[in-house]
Amino acid sequence: MTDENPLLVTREGPVVRAIMNRPERRNALSTAMGEAWDRLLAELATDRSARVLVISGAGGHFCAGLDLTEVASDETPEQKLARQQARNRRTGARFGDIAALPQVVIAAIEGSCHAGGLGFACAADIALASATSRFAAPEVRRGLVPAQILPWLVRRAGRPAATRLVLEAAVIDAPEAGRIGLVHQVLADATALEAQLQRTIAAVLEGAPGALAETKGLLSALGPISPDGYAEAGAAAFARTASSEEAAEGIAAFKARRKPVWAA
């Protein structure tokens, strides 16, 4: 498997589209995709001619979260711990960079929106989903923790709904995601999703660019996404669990499509 073009970026006037492009892995986030995201976000942060960013996924899926094949490695425990901590820290910062963009960010969700995919969906300003979308924070079933997506889930859906989502780790459907506020609107199918996306873009473009950016700044000023120190603590917790025997078993069970020993 190659990662030659893991993030497809197109532009039509003031509208930029970023399509996560690893359909054979349900657009799971690889190192190469993360680096492509970071390059795009750095460009958009200073691009005042771009006014809307649309995030979606190729092949009928949004994003299945972290590519678990990159969690396993032949590194020493110390090397693995350091690498996972750095990667998770950057993941959290990436969601913050998306939310901080001056552009209005819209997530157009189809299919799987799991784990880190929820981070992209909740960091976006507006989230639209097709009725066939499915949402989950399955980390604890893999022996991991939802470290960097948790603050975004809490901000979008509230602490009670986020708590149930990350502790049960069950898949919920699009209507339930709409009911708890995880997404703003659920559309019947991909065609209806695209039609609503175009209406939303048109509505956003009616707003003055500077006023929209200032309004996003005011929304951010209402309070930080998480307390001081949380991002580092979350990265450390993820690194510990990713280096644990539980994660080794959880990921192996996931790949083999069986239950892990603690649930068998």
Side-chain angles (χ1 to χ4, degrees):
M1 183 187 306
T2 62
D3 257 347
E4 293 180 358
N5 207 359
L7 187 67
L8 299 177
V9 180
T10 62
R11 181 163 182 169
E12 185 174 345
V15 180
V16 177
R17 287 200 181 218
I19 304 170
M20 291 179 276
N21 185 40
R22 303 184 75 226
E24 73 285 351
R25 299 287 301 167
R26 296 191 177 188
N27 304 315
L29 183 64
S30 65
T31 298
M33 185 190 287
E35 291 171 349
W37 264 115
D38 292 342
R39 289 191 295 271
L40 174 63
L41 295 173
E43 294 171 6
L44 290 176
T46 58
D47 185 350
R48 293 302 182 263
S49 65
R51 298 186 55 195
V52 175
L53 171 64
V54 178
I55 302 174
S56 62
H61 291 284
F62 187 67
C63 176
L66 176 65
D67 189 340
L68 294 180
T69 64
E70 294 190 359
V71 173
S73 72
D74 296 326
E75 299 167 312
T76 66
E78 294 77 13
Q79 290 172 327
K80 185 173 183 178
L81 189 71
R83 180 173 62 85
Q84 294 296 346
Q85 186 163 349
R87 178 171 182 166
N88 192 257
R89 185 188 301 116
R90 181 58 214 144
T91 296
R94 187 176 299 123
F95 297 146
D97 290 345
I98 291 172
L101 288 173
Q103 297 83 15
V104 174
V105 182
I106 307 169
I109 302 164
E110 294 182 80
S112 300
C113 181
H114 295 176
L118 290 171
F120 286 105
C122 294
D125 301 304
I126 300 169
L128 308 173
S130 71
T132 56
S133 302
R134 296 292 181 268
F135 302 80
E139 284 87 347
V140 295
R141 298 192 182 194
R142 313 284 184 256
L144 301 168
V145 293
Q148 301 300 341
I149 67 169
L150 185 55
W152 301 95
L153 289 173
V154 169
R155 186 183 74 161
R156 174 64 60 80
R159 189 163 182 164
T163 297
R164 185 176 186 183
L165 196 64
V166 299
L167 296 183
E168 287 188 357
V171 177
I172 64 172
D173 61 19
E176 177 65 6
R179 187 189 71 79
I180 66 174
L182 198 58
V183 297
H184 294 95
Q185 189 173 356
V186 177
L187 291 308
D189 52 29
T191 301
L193 174 62
E194 179 61 26
Q196 181 56 51
L197 175 62
Q198 292 302 322
R199 289 192 292 270
T200 300
I201 291 171
V204 167
L205 293 178
E206 291 285 332
L212 285 167
E214 290 282 5
T215 299
K216 287 192 61 173
L218 290 173
L219 287 166
S220 178
L222 290 174
I225 187 66
S226 60
D228 289 344
Y230 176 87
E232 191 61 34
F238 182 86
R240 288 193 301 271
T241 56
S243 304
S244 70
E245 293 183 1
E246 282 188 345
E249 165 61 13
I251 293 170
F254 173 70
K255 292 178 179 177
R257 298 187 179 184
R258 63 170 174 80
K259 287 184 176 295
V261 292
W262 58 78

